[in-house]
Structures are given as C-alpha cells and as structure tokens.
Amino acid sequence: MSRLVEPHGGKLVEQTRRYDESLEELQRIEIDKHTLLDLEMISTGAYSPLTGFLCRDDYECVLYGKRLSNGVAWTIPIVCSTNKTKDLRPGDELALSHGNKVVGVLTLEEVYPHNKEEHARKVFQTLDPKHPGVARVKKMGNHLLGGKVEKIEGEASTIQNRFERRTLTPKETRYLFNAKGWRTVVGFQTRNIPHRGHEYLQRCALEIGDGLFIHPIVGETKPGDTPPETILRCYEALIKNYYPRERVVLAVLHTSMRYAGPREAVFHALIRKNFGCSHFIVGRDHAGVGNYYGPYDAQKIFNEFGEGELGIEPLFFDTSFYCRRCGGMATKKTCPHTENDRITPSGTLVRSLLQNPGKTGLDKILRPEVLDAFRGEKIV
Amino acid sequence: MGRKEYVNISIPKELYKNVEKIIKGTGFRSVTEYIIFVTREALIGGEEGRIRERLRKLGYLE
C-alpha cells in the first residue's frame, strides 16, 4: 500500500488508446508542440484530475477563481485552440495531429470563443506582448475545444524521445518512491544549471523529506534558457559528487514554461503532487520572467488556498547567497552580515563569470564538477 | 457507491469446467468471481512488473 500523498483530485488519470486505421478517417485538428506536451501530461496523469482540455465552465472557473468548476484547485487553463470550427459538433471524435501524425483523440464536448485578452490578463497579469506567455496566447486560435482526450499509445513527442532515459510517468515515480520506502518527497522544479544557491535549498529539502525529486522542465522554453541537456548533465555531476544518491531522483518534466509566475508556482506544485511529492520548493520569483511579478508573489499566492486544499506543502525559501564571513551558503534568515560580504548566485552572474574567467567568485557559486559538465556548451 | 456494471464474455466450455473443479472447496463462489480475481491479479502484476523492469533498465532501481 502506498504511503505517498494521493494524486490531486484523488485518482491518477490515465488516458491512452491504441492506434487503429479508423482514426485516419476522423476530422483532424493540428496541434502545436505546446499542446502536444499538454496532451501527454494529461494522458499520463501529471495533470490529474484533468481528463481533457478544459470546457468553458472549468476554463472560466480557473481564470477567475483558480479552481475547476467542482472546486478543486487549478490555476493554469489547459486548453486546445483552433481557428477551424466548421462542421465541429459536440460528441464528435477529432483526431489531434502533430506533424501530420495522429497523436491523440479529442471527444469534443464544447467549442467556445477564446477571449485572449482576458486569458492573458488573468493568467499573466499583463497584456504586454513582450511577455512570452502573452505572446503565445496572442498566437493561439480564436476558439477553444473542450473535451476528454486520449493519447495514442507510443506516439511520443520528439522531445520525449530525446530524454527517454530520464522520462518517468507519475505512476513510475510513485512506484519508485514507494520502492525506496519514501513517504515524504520534496519536489524541486528547475530550468537552470545548479549553482550553490540551488544546492543549499536542496540540502535543506533533504533534511526535511525522505527523498528529493529534482524535476527540470524540458518542454518549450524561451530563447536564452539553458538547453535541457546541459541542465541534466550538470545535475548528474552534482548528484554523483555531492548528494547521497539513494535519496535523490532526477527525471524530466515534459511541459512548457508558461512564465505565469504565481499561478504557475501552484500549477508546478500540483503536478509534483501527482508525481508523488508531499512538499514543493518555491523560491524567489518562481516561474517569473522580467519584472512582471513581485519577488514573493509566487509564495503569497499559496495563502489563497485553504489549509490542506492543495494537498502539497510548499516550502518557501528566500534567495540564498555565499557569505564570505560565514564561509558558506546562507539566507537573510540565517546570516547577519552585510551585502558586501555576500555573493548571490544567479543565472546572470554565472553567465557573466563564465564569460570572464578572470573574475573571482565562480568557485563560490558553482561546483567544479558542475562547471566541467557545463563547459563546452554555448552560452546564450 | 454506484452499482457496478457487468458485461458478458465467452470462454471455452472445457476451460469453464476446469475452473469449476479448481474452485471447489475454495472461497470463490463462482467461476465469474475467480476469473475476475485472476484477471485483476494479472493486470496489476503485469503493470507493476513492467514498471519495475523499466526502472531497473534506466538505472533507477537495483
């Protein structure tokens, strides 16, 4: 019997079906990679309790109330958009295709207009087209298709094949955590190579939980993000050299970054709950981009949910830094010294130090093995 | 909890008779009950076995 937290909504969803030639006869809807990844996440249960793309009622409840129409917490609208609505009728089975290949089936329940401005305003809190999430919503179709989906077995996206070695479904991680005897598992979301700041948080997590689940995102990201292969290699080096290996699991998450800041922090937590995590680390400006969100908005949003409503415990951390006087990593909560004594790791600082090897401080924020794993990669 | 729905399936008569013999004196009250039990076991065992094997192959489990 599992001792792990229950999946969100109480049951792990699994929605797949076998390919058969009759699917080629169905009306087709071409979906982009972002939607394909969402289809995969629904089909494996990573988005439990969702069984498909949101119908209007759920969509509006998520947009305005951060919950599904049945009251279950959910913060990001998972939708399928199109401009092609001719001849679509509720009850139809539609073949979802990607690259001209049938990858799933949508049993259409509803077609409804997509109010893109409202979508962007509510989810991203801005209409600025420079925001990558807003830019994407603007490019989406003018109508949304709601209904249950099933992914065709074996039809994985290209990215999934690239990371097959590190791809685990929620069912698999749950089996693995159980096999390891874990009850409390701390989930860690990332899209960066690990610096000493991340390591500090992860070590704190290892003090709290039975296990640590490092789960980098490898879906669509924005230009300038570190390639996921590099992130994985760096984490493998860190785990091999510095962590108790039996207490850490590294796998990838095939979903796209939304850059929805606070809403995405909750979304990320719920996904990790489905993978079996009891706790989830939320740092400063989680899933943020530019200056669209306040530095602690992604932590404050958790106050909008009742005690136990999310079913996963967020662990809030402030920015960690290397303090010369303490001689180690710390946060404002644990270190009394001044800014002058501190080196605060960040993606920007790491890039700057890597581009200017003469500068000192790199050893304080990056493990040499991680640096070795990183080297040879183009810095973008 | 709602009432469970059932469907009819066919198995060879000879197999049915053999199962009848096997379940005599056991806790199974009917061939149907036994077949449901065995099928469930096979599904659970099969899936868990596949997961275990995949995790082992990928190096997550010894």
Side-chain angles (χ1 to χ4, degrees), chain A residues 186-231:
Chain A
V186 183
F188 186 83
Q189 142 80 31
T190 186
R191 52 188 163 117
N192 289 302
I193 63 165
H195 53 56
R196 296 289 297 273
H198 299 125
E199 186 183 325
Y200 177 77
L201 306 189
Q202 290 163 5
R203 285 188 188 281
C204 290
L206 282 166
E207 294 287 353
I208 294 167
D210 298 327
L212 171 67
F213 181 41
I214 301 172
H215 208 197
I217 277 197
V218 295
E220 284 186 319
T221 45
K222 65 177 170 50
D225 283 352
T226 311
E229 286 86 350
T230 311
I231 297 171

Side-chain angles (χ1 to χ4, degrees), chain A residues 30-78:
Chain A
E30 180 71 11
I31 57 172
D32 61 9
K33 190 166 163 189
H34 181 106
T35 313
L36 170 65
L37 294 176
D38 282 346
L39 167 68
E40 287 182 1
M41 291 297 99
I42 294 168
S43 75
T44 59
Y47 288 175
S48 298
L50 301 195
T51 55
F53 294 115
L54 298 186
C55 287
R56 189 176 196 155
D57 200 13
D58 278 328
Y59 172 75
E60 289 180 350
C61 285
V62 168
L63 228 51
Y64 298 107
K66 303 186 179 91
R67 286 162 182 84
L68 297 167
S69 58
N70 63 4
V72 172
W74 198 265
T75 50
I76 296 288
I78 304 297

Side-chain angles (χ1 to χ4, degrees), chain A residues 175-311:
Chain A
Y175 182 94
L176 180 60
F177 299 161
N178 272 315
K180 286 175 173 288
W182 295 353
R183 187 179 188 137
T184 50
V185 186
V186 183
F188 186 83
Q189 142 80 31
T190 186
R191 52 188 163 117
N192 289 302
I193 63 165
H195 53 56
R196 296 289 297 273
H198 299 125
E199 186 183 325
Y200 177 77
L201 306 189
Q202 290 163 5
R203 285 188 188 281
C204 290
L206 282 166
E207 294 287 353
I208 294 167
D210 298 327
L212 171 67
F213 181 41
I214 301 172
H215 208 197
I217 277 197
V218 295
E220 284 186 319
T221 45
K222 65 177 170 50
D225 283 352
T226 311
E229 286 86 350
T230 311
I231 297 171
L232 274 178
R233 217 173 37 246
C234 290
Y235 263 106
E236 281 164 356
L238 181 68
I239 294 167
K240 185 179 166 195
N241 291 286
Y242 294 97
Y243 287 167
R245 271 187 265 179
E246 67 288 354
R247 292 192 59 214
V248 182
V249 168
L250 172 66
V252 296
L253 180 69
H254 296 274
T255 189
S256 300
M257 281 300 298
R258 269 82 176 165
Y259 305 99
R263 277 183 181 254
E264 196 162 4
V266 175
F267 176 61
H268 283 164
L270 295 177
I271 292 173
R272 274 40 179 243
K273 177 187 172 187
N274 285 327
F275 278 86
C277 295
S278 54
H279 296 74
F280 182 68
I281 292 176
V282 184
R284 191 182 177 276
D285 198 24
H286 184 106
V289 62
N291 293 315
Y292 294 100
Y293 313 107
Y296 300 102
D297 285 358
Q299 299 180 351
K300 287 179 195 156
I301 191 175
F302 284 82
N303 294 330
E304 295 179 31
F305 299 90
E307 177 96 30
E309 184 181 357
L310 297 175

